[in-house]
């Protein structure tokens, strides 16, 4: 089937993740999208529930966490009005969905590859690990604020080398930054590949260390966007020459030395 | 029902156009529908030289609307003519170039470049952008400037229809409509965005870096309808209605008050295939409410005596 579709799909399941111990902040949402293949890890979709009618206009962008013959899985963190209402979706609800959108993370099967996730930034790495031909070459480092059960961590820790640091207090941030530097240095030394997804300050830190240590790194940007197709120009970021480029179509993945954060 | 419309020298297979700044060059939406199903495509604002636009953040979502302050980011007219226009199905759908410049002479120069292009069906003059410091709304709020810019474009348009896009951010839209008509406009299009603002009480900052931005979406439809209603009565040239159209019923409301066609803007962001089916939906709705034709329905609003 052709890629890039816009269609109405059905919500199959909305499951809070880690709710037993924490307030319900993370959700796994399964959408019906049979026979959807050909997407690449790092790409995203735009999702707009029918129930929003006209009170909220924009669809919301979500990394594709996983997709198979039965449907599409997204991880959603409640951070604003849109994601809070996404969490109230129920099986059977209809949403408009278009995608897969944007470019994707580099895959170098035989290269030692470090996946750096800040919180919900772990979402696209589930698909990356599932689709990688040699997951033994992968290591995931997760910097997280909530217990591990709030993230799709078990799905990854069963398959790749995983290391984690909890940010429970401001002092932990220094430990996380030090750990990031240490890991990036390790992968720079072995000419590895570094892929990062998370909040902008996390991306900026990765970018800084990658430049300092001479590492090959890609960062995934999450700018606010209205259309997802390159038309509204609301999501642009300055590239290395200062030109504004659309994150939705020229990204969301950028080589760290080719974009200004 | 025949949905074809001809007005002001423009011939469209149906009255649905896409509004500048909300549909890219048009090519961005090609994966989601057949561009030839549209009556017209108004391309993203074009300037003589490339523009990087405003700093981020540039957009914010508001109830039933959105704010934008993109700042006419575009690759410049040469790039548009050389790279984009040949890829558009201009033989099958009217491609309208939206012109942005800083003074009347520059508008004229830009019009001259675009008028020479066979693929351009009409020129839309943007005298109403609220998001740029130079030109933009400064023209749109001064009737003398509207007339001057319109005249400059008309002189260089090579006989192509000149459509002037008006701002609602004025005291009297009728005065501006007459100024454009006096300057030689063949068609008016209205409205552009309303000047608006959104702020964040937590970080005490504006939500858009430009501070003031343009409000669009269903929230502005009543203002747009009012402006179209007043403009239709102020001038004898045809009017294209723009502002918050998010359904066939919305589009027909503009036709009812006298618009010859509509431009769909922010609704293109609700889903990228929105505009493609709108003409069919309008046709079905017209039949459903017992209208015999688009011409019969246009401007048939019954006003209180």
């Amino acid at each position: 089937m052709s890629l890039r579709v816009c269609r109405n799909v059905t919500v199959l399941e909305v499951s809070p993740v880690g709710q037993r111990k924490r307030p319900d902040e993370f959700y796994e949402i399964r959408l019906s999208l049979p026979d959807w293949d050909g997407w690449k890890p790092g790409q995203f979709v735009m999702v707009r529930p029918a129930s929003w009618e006209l009170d909220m206009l924009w669809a919301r962008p979500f990394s594709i966490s996983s997709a198979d013959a039965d449907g599409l899985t997204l991880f959603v963190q409640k951070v604003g009005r849109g994601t809070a209402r996404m969490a109230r979706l129920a099986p059977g609800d209809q949403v408009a969905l278009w995608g897969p959108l944007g470019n994707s993370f580099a895959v170098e099967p035989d290269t030692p590859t470090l996946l750096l996730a800040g919180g919900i930034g772990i979402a696209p790495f589930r698909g990356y690990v599932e689709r990688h031909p040699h997951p033994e070459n992968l290591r995931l480092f997760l910097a997280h604020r909530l217990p591990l059960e709030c993230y799709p961590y078990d799905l990854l820790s069963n398959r790749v080398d995983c290391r984690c640091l909890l940010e429970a207090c401001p002092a932990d941030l220094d430990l996380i930054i030090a750990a990031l530097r240490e890991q990036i240095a390790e992968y720079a030394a072995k000419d590895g590949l570094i892929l990062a997804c998370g909040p902008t300050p996390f991306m900026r830190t990765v970018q800084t260390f990658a430049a300092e240590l001479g590492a090959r790194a890609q960062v995934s940007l999450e700018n606010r966007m209205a259309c997802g197709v390159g038309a509204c120009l609301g999501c642009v970021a300055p590239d290395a020459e200062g030109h504004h480029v659309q994150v939705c179509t020229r990204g969301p993945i950028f080589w760290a030395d080719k974009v200004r954060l | 029902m025949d949905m074809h419309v001809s007005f002001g020298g423009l011939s469209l297979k149906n009255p649905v156009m896409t509004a500048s700044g909300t549909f890219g060059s048009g090519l961005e939406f090609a994966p989601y529908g057949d561009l030839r199903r549209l009556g017209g495509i108004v391309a993203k604002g074009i300037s003589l030289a490339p523009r990087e636009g405003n700093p981020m953040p540039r957009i914010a979502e508001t109830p039933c609307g959105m704010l934008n302050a993109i700042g006419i980011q575009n690759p410049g007219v040469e790039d548009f003519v050389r790279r984009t226009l040949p890829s558009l199905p201009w033989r099958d759908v009217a491609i309208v170039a939206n012109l942005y410049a800083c003074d009347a002479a520059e508008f004229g120069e830009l019009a001259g470049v675009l008028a020479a292009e066979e693929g351009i069906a009409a020129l839309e003059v943007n005298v109403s952008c609220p998001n740029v410091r130079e030109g933009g709304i400064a023209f749109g709020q001064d009737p003398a400037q509207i007339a001057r810019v319109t005249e400059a474009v008309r002189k260089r348009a090579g006989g192509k229809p000149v459509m002037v896009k008006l701002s609602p951010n004025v005291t009297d839209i009728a005065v501006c409509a007459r100024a454009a008509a006096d300057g030689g406009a063949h068609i008016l299009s209205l409205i552009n965005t309303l000047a608006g603002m959104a702020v964040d009480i937590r970080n005490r900052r504006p939500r858009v870096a430009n501070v003031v931005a343009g409000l669009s979406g269903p929230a502005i439809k009543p203002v747009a309808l009012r402006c179209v209603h007043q403009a239709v009565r102020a001038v004898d040239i045809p009017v294209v209605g723009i502002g918050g159209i998010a359904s066939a019923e919305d589009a027909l409301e503009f036709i009812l008050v006298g618009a010859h066609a509509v431009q769909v803007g922010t609704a293109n962001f609700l889903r990228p295939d929105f505009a493609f089916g709108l003409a069919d939906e309008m046709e079905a709705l017209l039949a459903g409410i017992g209208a015999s034709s688009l011409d019969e329905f246009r401007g048939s609003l019954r006003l209180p005596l």
Side-chain angles (χ1 to χ4, degrees):
Chain A
M1 63 174 292
S2 66
L3 282 177
R4 281 220 277 174
V5 295
C6 176
R7 60 166 79 165
N8 294 322
V9 302
T10 304
V11 176
L12 300 175
E13 193 177 354
V14 180
S15 321
V17 180
Q19 194 183 27
R20 281 172 298 126
K21 293 182 181 175
R22 302 290 303 188
D24 52 338
E25 183 173 336
F26 287 92
Y27 285 79
E28 182 180 286
I29 297 181
R30 288 273 297 164
L31 301 172
S32 69
L33 202 57
D35 304 324
W36 206 44
D37 206 355
W39 64 279
K40 294 175 181 173
Q43 290 188 297
F44 66 101
V45 292
M46 298 290 283
V47 177
R48 187 173 184 278
S51 59
W52 288 5
E53 297 191 352
L54 295 178
D55 49 341
M56 288 199 296
L57 300 185
W58 295 343
R60 297 300 194 264
F62 295 100
S63 293
I64 299 168
S65 189
S66 183
D68 52 36
D70 301 322
L72 171 72
T73 304
L74 308 174
F75 276 97
V76 176
Q77 182 178 17
K78 281 204 300 190
V79 290
R81 291 192 315 148
T83 45
R85 287 181 61 175
M86 289 281 295
R88 297 209 296 269
L89 287 171
D93 287 349
Q94 293 289 300
V95 303
L97 177 144
W98 58 101
L101 300 166
N103 61 3
S104 54
F105 283 120
V107 178
E108 297 177 4
D110 299 320
T111 303
T113 302
L114 176 64
L115 314 177
L116 298 173
I120 191 71
I122 196 173
F125 291 137
R126 176 183 172 188
Y128 190 89
V129 169
E130 284 177 354
R131 293 203 147 200
H132 197 280
H134 297 298
E136 65 274 15
N137 288 333
L138 305 178
R139 178 195 292 167
L140 173 80
F141 174 73
L142 172 64
H144 59 109
R145 191 171 49 79
L146 297 175
L148 282 175
E149 64 154 17
C150 294
Y151 305 90
Y153 177 72
D154 286 347
L155 297 168
L156 295 168
S157 61
N158 292 335
R159 305 180 69 147
V160 297
D161 172 21
C162 283
R163 300 173 188 197
C164 306
L165 272 178
L166 175 67
E167 183 190 349
C169 64
D172 290 339
L173 200 53
D174 291 336
L175 297 176
I176 288 171
I177 291 170
L180 275 174
R181 192 181 188 287
E182 185 181 323
Q183 304 230 7
I184 291 171
E186 179 187 334
Y187 277 73
K190 54 187 177 189
D191 196 24
L193 176 65
I194 293 162
L195 310 176
C197 184
T200 301
F202 185 83
M203 296 294 93
R204 204 175 282 132
T205 304
V206 172
Q207 184 187 48
T208 301
F209 289 144
E212 178 193 334
L213 299 164
R216 292 189 304 127
Q218 290 187 325
V219 293
S220 178
L221 305 194
E222 297 183 333
N223 291 8
R224 189 180 304 153
M225 50 184 73
C227 70
V229 304
C232 75
L233 301 177
C235 67
V236 298
D239 66 13
E241 285 78 42
H243 300 304
H244 286 146
V245 297
Q246 291 102 318
V247 168
C248 62
T249 51
R250 298 278 294 278
I253 315 297
F254 293 88
W255 287 101
D257 60 345
K258 301 294 186 194
V259 68
R260 297 181 191 173
L261 295 174
Chain B
M1 192 177 295
D2 183 12
M3 295 296 280
H4 179 270
V5 287
S6 290
F7 57 95
L10 200 53
S11 179
L12 311 178
K13 68 168 72 70
N14 66 60
V16 175
M17 309 173 79
T18 54
S20 178
T22 64
F23 209 65
S25 69
L27 296 174
E28 292 86 345
F29 287 79
Y32 302 98
D34 185 350
L35 296 175
R36 292 168 296 188
R37 289 181 72 192
L38 300 168
I41 296 169
V42 186
K44 165 78 181 154
I46 303 160
S47 51
L48 273 176
R51 290 175 59 94
E52 290 296 343
N54 292 330
M56 292 284 285
R58 295 169 158 191
I59 54 174
E61 193 181 48
T62 60
C64 302
M66 66 175 276
L67 290 160
N68 90 80
I70 307 301
I72 320 283
Q73 178 181 336
N74 79 96
V77 68
E78 187 188 331
D79 186 272
F80 175 78
V81 165
R82 185 168 46 86
R83 294 175 54 179
T84 304
L85 188 57
S87 302
L88 288 166
W90 53 268
R91 291 184 193 279
D92 299 308
V93 57
I95 305 298
V96 178
N98 179 281
L99 282 59
Y100 169 78
C102 296
D103 57 45
E106 198 178 315
F107 265 112
E109 189 180 344
L110 186 56
V113 174
L114 289 162
E117 295 302 320
E118 186 184 6
I120 300 291
L123 307 177
E124 183 178 64
V125 188
N126 182 2
V127 291
S128 45
C129 180
N131 299 324
V132 287
R133 296 190 194 286
E134 67 284 1
I137 203 166
F139 292 128
Q141 290 175 329
D142 179 351
Q145 286 273 29
I146 293 173
R148 200 171 299 136
V149 167
T150 305
E151 197 177 349
V153 172
R154 169 80 186 249
K155 277 183 181 166
R156 302 287 298 276
K160 288 190 172 169
V162 175
M163 180 156 63
V164 177
K165 186 170 182 177
L166 299 178
S167 168
N169 303 310
V170 295
T171 307
D172 189 345
I173 192 81
V175 171
C176 298
R178 279 192 288 268
D182 291 346
H186 299 96
I187 306 166
L188 299 182
S189 58
L190 61 157
I191 58 177
N192 207 319
T193 54
L194 285 153
M197 190 170 164
V199 297
D200 185 337
I201 62 166
R202 287 167 185 83
N203 65 17
R204 305 184 188 205
R205 290 180 185 277
R207 290 190 185 273
V208 175
N210 206 46
V211 183
V212 172
L215 178 65
S216 64
I220 72 166
K221 196 187 75 179
V223 178
L225 266 180
R226 184 266 297 172
C227 289
V228 170
H229 169 74
Q230 292 176 328
V232 163
R233 278 149 187 79
V235 294
D236 288 330
I237 58 175
V239 168
V240 174
I242 319 166
I245 292 168
S247 67
E249 181 151 351
D250 291 340
L252 288 178
E253 289 176 17
F254 283 86
I255 305 293
L256 179 62
V257 301
H260 277 71
V262 295
Q263 291 182 16
V264 175
T266 301
N268 293 313
F269 303 153
L270 268 66
R271 50 184 297 157
D273 58 358
F274 174 81
F276 296 103
L278 191 59
D280 290 346
E281 291 170 26
M282 289 171 69
E283 185 180 353
L285 185 52
L286 274 172
I289 62 176
S292 59
S293 72
L294 195 58
D295 285 342
E296 174 265 312
F297 185 73
R298 182 180 306 112
S300 63
L301 182 68
R302 296 171 185 155
L303 294 170
L305 294 173

